[in-house]
Amino acid sequence: MKRLKTITGIALMAIFGFTSCQSEVDDVQGEDPNTNAANSTTAKNLKRTSMYDGSFDDFIDGASCSSIVLPAIAKVNGSQVTLFSQLDYQQVITILGQFNNDQDSVVLQFPLRVKTSNYTEVTANNQTEYNAILNACSAAEASGQGAITSLNINFPITILTYNLSIQQTGSVVITSEKQLFTYMSNVKSTELFSVNYPITVSLAGGTDATVNSDAELQSNINASLTTQATITQAEDNSKKIETILVDGRFKVQSFITAGVDSANNYKDSTVDFANDWTVKAVTTLTTTAAGTYAVSSELDVFLKLNFTGSSSFSLLNNTWKVASFTTSTITLQGKTNAAVTLVLKQI
């Protein structure tokens, strides 16, 4: 998942926030409800949300908790690609996206450097050593200790420190995920801490939220994980729909605009989707319209059609939201106007 990282707040706000929180601590004589130990839920949440996010190169390594340190060499669907910088990722994306029903493969050349979730870099000399890194990632995720990448804390934030008597001992201004991860990894058993709320966070799906307590942080993490699961499901469905489109030919079963079904205009034509992202409409063995299509996903799956050469098929040009699908029927509705619908039936 692409992550939005923004820097919010200014030093003056941090100073005012510290003064406010210090006064609050004094007012309640040191009994701060958000004071946490090293093994608290909030400590774990802050550590997991600040782990290194390696998901940006998942199309290469398939591992969200680590990334390949460049330069690196890989064979992508049999073609050797040398990656000197992230600008070279486009070569990989282009090769992988050339066809949508082939078996993609990325074979990495060893030795290679890998950056892991705790920000350290290690060398994998062979596939066995690299598999060990991937397996450690899977084990952490399975045990609930993996990175939470669906919520990003917007920095800077301030951490207030306490002793076991809940007397404030100081404060730390955190300006990056790596700094937060390092701090949370080194909280001692004799130390307590609290977050100087409010803070702002960015959530999966592109929204921001203001967080005022540890409980609200947990609530936002839960909501972001739910949204991330929806995004992941949409990605999976988009791949299924690509396969359905390429594997069959379709007729326009229904096309409703302004409450009128004009499917009869297409009754003699079939629509054929190719695996190179082209589409054509055929009437009695003659191509009457040709164009391109694209399948994408956000929280939902979208099918974009772009026909040329036929005024009737050009009416289907739209970015369609996939309302439902089976192996034989795809029901679409306009992304910006749900009253416009299109149903494609496999023949």
Side-chain angles (χ1 to χ4, degrees), residues 129 290 319:
E129 292 181 2
T319 297

Side-chain angles (χ1 to χ4, degrees), residues 214-235:
D214 290 345
E216 287 189 16
L217 177 62
Q218 181 66 67
S219 177
N220 277 278
I221 287 174
N222 292 341
S224 71
L225 290 173
T226 298
T227 301
Q228 185 59 53
T230 301
I231 292 172
T232 300
Q233 184 61 60
E235 291 174 349

Side-chain angles (χ1 to χ4, degrees), residues 67-332:
S67 67
I68 304 301
V69 178
L70 304 181
I73 299 174
K75 278 194 174 181
V76 184
N77 290 350
S79 299
Q80 182 167 301
V81 177
T82 301
L83 304 170
F84 294 103
S85 72
Q86 292 187 15
L87 295 175
D88 296 316
Y89 288 162
Q90 187 57 50
Q91 297 181 57
V92 180
I93 293 171
T94 299
I95 295 171
L96 295 175
Q98 186 174 6
F99 303 103
N100 60 8
N101 68 340
D102 58 341
Q103 294 297 317
D104 291 320
S105 67
V106 178
V107 180
L108 297 166
Q109 179 174 302
F110 297 98
L112 58 81
R113 298 284 289 172
V114 180
K115 191 171 184 177
T116 64
S117 61
N118 63 2
Y119 293 89
T120 60
E121 293 185 10
V122 297
T123 298
N125 293 294
N126 50 55
Q127 189 66 51
T128 300
E129 292 181 2
Y130 185 56
N131 288 343
I133 297 172
L134 301 183
N135 292 338
C137 174
S138 298
E141 292 176 342
S143 61
Q145 299 177 30
I148 296 173
T149 60
S150 56
L151 178 145
N152 296 322
I153 294 173
N154 297 325
F155 296 99
I157 65 171
T158 299
I159 301 291
L160 306 178
T161 59
Y162 302 84
N163 59 27
L164 295 182
S165 299
I166 318 184
Q167 296 173 324
Q168 188 174 338
T169 58
S171 65
V172 180
V173 177
I174 305 293
T175 60
S176 68
E177 286 190 332
K178 184 177 181 180
Q179 185 185 358
L180 179 58
F181 178 83
T182 300
Y183 179 86
M184 287 299 149
S185 299
N186 292 286
V187 176
K188 300 177 181 177
S189 60
T190 57
E191 297 174 333
L192 300 173
F193 73 90
S194 69
V195 178
N196 186 12
Y197 294 105
I199 64 174
T200 60
V201 297
S202 297
L203 307 174
T207 60
D208 290 343
T210 299
V211 176
N212 295 289
S213 67
D214 290 345
E216 287 189 16
L217 177 62
Q218 181 66 67
S219 177
N220 277 278
I221 287 174
N222 292 341
S224 71
L225 290 173
T226 298
T227 301
Q228 185 59 53
T230 301
I231 292 172
T232 300
Q233 184 61 60
E235 291 174 349
D236 292 341
N237 285 342
S238 69
K239 294 180 176 63
K240 294 177 182 177
I241 290 170
E242 287 174 9
T243 299
I244 293 170
L245 290 173
V246 172
D247 286 350
R249 289 184 301 149
F250 295 82
K251 291 190 72 71
V252 175
Q253 186 179 54
S254 173
F255 176 41
I256 297 177
T257 55
V260 178
D261 190 348
S262 56
N264 194 55
N265 295 338
Y266 308 91
K267 65 182 180 63
D268 297 323
S269 301
T270 60
V271 181
D272 191 8
F273 295 86
N275 69 351
D276 61 354
W277 306 105
T278 60
V279 60
K280 62 182 179 180
V282 179
T283 304
T284 60
L285 302 180
T286 301
T287 299
T288 57
T292 60
Y293 71 100
V295 180
S296 61
S297 66
E298 297 168 8
L299 292 173
D300 297 289
V301 183
F302 299 96
L303 172 62
K304 184 176 182 179
L305 296 177
N306 183 29
F307 283 102
T308 59
S310 167
S311 58
S312 59
F313 274 93
S314 292
L315 294 175
L316 305 183
N317 292 348
N318 200 344
T319 297
W320 300 94
K321 172 185 171 182
V322 178
S324 64
F325 71 96
T326 67
T327 56
S328 60
T329 304
I330 300 176
T331 301
L332 309 167

